[in-house]
Amino acid sequence: MMADGVDIDLYADDLEQEFNQDGDYNAGSANVDLYDDVITAPANNGQNADDVFSSVISEPVKTSVTPVPQGSSGKRVSLYVGNLTWWTTDQDLADAIMSTGVLDLQEIKFYENRANGQSKGFCAVHVGSEGSYRLIMDKLPKKELHGQNPIVTPCNRQSLNQFEMASRKGKEFDRK
């Protein structure tokens, strides 16, 4: 029987000797573990993990993180902003939010179409206080972004479902 250039005698009397391969790769070290060699091998040539990851991504990620002012409690309040054009950027939205007087914007995450990576027209906005939450709820819908007024809703399952349905149908959010 011949497989991959290796002769194996299935009827050999001494199988232990037939398959003893210790001498082939251990060459003097009794405790060589190839698994450890794979784990400890430097794969990134001195770069940190963020540099390696960013070199793999060809497109910028639509997320904005603004440092939270000192003295903040670390609290995180979330809301959804919708009725945005697909070309609205996180910077456009961050500028509009900052113009309402919010100073503790933490993060903006756009929801994207899996097939093409295009924005679905809504995002989650995270701020550091209830006061900022109320400012955004009151003032942002009166602003205009790319010819449209944003719709601001609390961060809950019902709001998310309504934005998802509106993005599938291509219709405006139902304001019930």
Side-chain angles (χ1 to χ4, degrees), residues 47-85:
Q47 297 174 333
N48 67 24
D50 291 336
D51 293 341
V52 172
F53 183 69
S54 65
S55 67
V56 173
I57 297 176
S58 60
E59 200 173 82
V61 177
K62 288 188 166 193
T63 301
S64 173
V65 178
T66 304
V68 180
Q70 287 191 354
S72 175
S73 64
K75 186 175 182 179
R76 186 173 169 134
V77 185
S78 302
L79 46 97
Y80 289 121
V81 177
N83 197 32
L84 304 171
T85 59

